Amino acid sequence: MRNLIAFLAKYNHWIVFVLFEVVSFVLLFQYNSYQGSVWFSSANAVTGKVMEWSSGVESFFSLSRVNEELTYRNAYLEHQVATLTKKLEKVPLDSASIYRDQLRLLTEYKLIPAKVVGNELNKLNNLMTIDRGSVDGVKPDMGVVCGSGIVGIVYLVSAHYSVVIPVLNSRSNISCAIQGRNYFGYLCWEGGSSSYVFLDDVPLHAQFEIKDKVVTSGYSSVFPLGVLVGTIVQKKNSRDGLSYRLMVRLSTDFGRLRDVCVIDDALMRERIEIMRAAQDSLGLSDKKKASQ
């Protein structure tokens, strides 16, 4: 204590000088706007630079810890990749490759992605609403698909929404074919389960097997050739006995359907327009039926 008092007594004039300097600077910067703004800007710049240096030093000394964390993270990700690869190898080829095959099939077309915002399943004439409309390029009679197969045909369009006639609608009548067999028919739905539809007008001389795939025929003015529809699960004669009626299990799960794509193809629209012009000239136009 005696040493502290001796130190203060010896340097008291310097201490008083420093104290007065501090007080004068406080008064200067507090009561003068220009000097205050200069001090504030300079202090911020100095503080920012000090913090930058501090952060750089801290980052440098923490590199070893970061490298250790990255090593553990890489090991974890490699394990995850190996696990997922093994799981993928155990998935049946048909279910694992459907999505990839459908995307490859539609790469040459412009696809407009959309979300399903309304979906009916328990009616004879179900309708579906998607969140894309005319401002997004959607037009009536465009085909709608998803990653697992066919969905339906655009019926009505507003600025931001569109109504789709899905496969699960009695007015839907889409030309389809048995994959690899070159036999054709028309897809129809008569209500009931949302997982099954019928392929009508397949000729009696057609040769095929249960579990054969059904795809779009390419004769449609809406869908290209080869879009997956489903799998044949049952064969029986039509009501008139002149053709087969095949029960088809749909590849699209309409109960869980959320993401779809609208097919925008200029050549298809041209085919639709010339077909409609021909129908109008012959008095055969029926705009209320999705018979593509």
Side-chain angles (χ1 to χ4, degrees):
M1 190 64 173
R2 188 181 300 110
N3 293 333
L4 176 62
I5 294 174
F7 174 81
L8 293 176
K10 182 177 181 179
Y11 297 103
N12 63 83
H13 53 283
W14 287 107
I15 296 173
V16 172
F17 172 75
V18 171
L19 181 62
F20 282 153
E21 285 293 320
V22 171
V23 172
S24 63
F25 277 118
V26 170
L27 295 176
L28 175 66
F29 294 126
Q30 185 173 0
Y31 295 102
N32 295 274
S33 58
Y34 174 74
Q35 286 82 358
S37 63
V38 171
W39 164 255
F40 182 76
S41 300
S42 302
N44 279 347
V46 172
T47 302
K49 184 61 68 174
V50 171
M51 292 180 67
E52 182 181 349
W53 290 340
S54 174
S55 177
V57 171
E58 183 179 354
S59 298
F60 176 78
F61 286 105
S62 64
L63 282 178
S64 60
R65 179 173 55 83
V66 172
N67 288 335
E68 184 179 355
E69 292 178 355
L70 288 175
T71 301
Y72 284 123
R73 185 64 178 171
N74 286 337
Y76 172 76
L77 291 176
E78 288 178 2
H79 175 71
Q80 289 291 93
V81 169
T83 302
L84 292 175
T85 302
K86 290 180 180 179
K87 289 182 179 180
L88 185 60
E89 290 174 352
K90 296 178 181 179
V91 177
L93 179 60
D94 288 343
S95 59
S97 61
I98 285 176
Y99 188 83
R100 183 174 61 253
D101 291 343
Q102 292 302 300
L103 289 180
R104 186 185 303 115
L105 175 68
L106 298 170
T107 50
E108 60 185 270
Y109 302 98
K110 178 184 176 183
L111 300 179
I112 304 172
K115 294 282 187 182
V116 176
V117 295
N119 192 13
E120 299 174 341
L121 297 176
N122 57 357
K123 299 179 181 179
L124 184 62
N125 293 313
N126 296 304
L127 295 175
M128 178 185 298
T129 305
I130 59 176
D131 64 347
R132 292 291 183 269
S134 57
V135 297
D136 306 293
V138 179
K139 298 179 181 179
D141 297 321
M142 285 183 172
V144 182
V145 297
C146 66
S148 56
I150 194 171
V151 174
I153 300 172
V154 176
Y155 180 51
L156 295 175
V157 177
S158 67
H160 301 287
Y161 296 93
S162 299
V163 175
V164 176
I165 294 182
V167 172
L168 303 180
N169 188 301
S170 66
R171 305 179 79 91
S172 176
N173 191 22
I174 300 170
S175 175
C176 297
I178 303 173
Q179 190 176 47
R181 306 286 188 175
N182 295 323
Y183 295 111
F184 307 96
Y186 289 92
L187 206 67
C188 66
W189 191 67
E190 297 179 348
S193 173
S194 62
S195 299
Y196 297 93
V197 293
F198 292 97
L199 185 65
D200 287 337
D201 296 336
V202 178
L204 291 176
H205 64 270
Q207 297 180 358
F208 55 87
E209 302 289 340
I210 300 298
K211 295 187 178 180
D212 276 355
K213 301 294 183 184
V214 176
V215 297
T216 52
S217 65
Y219 292 156
S220 166
S221 57
V222 176
F223 296 100
L225 171 66
V227 178
L228 184 61
V229 175
T231 305
I232 299 173
V233 295
Q234 187 181 49
K235 175 182 70 174
K236 59 182 179 180
N237 291 335
S238 63
R239 294 183 179 90
D240 57 12
L242 299 178
S243 61
Y244 284 130
R245 184 172 222 225
L246 309 180
M247 179 180 285
V248 178
R249 182 174 59 243
L250 292 169
S251 60
T252 300
D253 186 350
F254 282 86
R256 301 174 60 186
L257 190 60
R258 295 294 179 271
D259 296 284
V260 298
C261 288
V262 182
I263 303 175
D264 182 7
D265 180 54
L267 293 178
M268 284 186 182
R269 291 202 302 273
E270 183 179 345
R271 289 172 60 184
I272 292 172
E273 290 171 1
I274 194 170
M275 182 72 72
R276 185 168 294 164
Q279 290 175 339
D280 289 341
S281 66
L282 296 174
L284 300 176
S285 177
D286 182 9
K287 297 182 181 180
K288 296 295 183 179
K289 186 175 182 179
S291 58
Q292 290 85 4

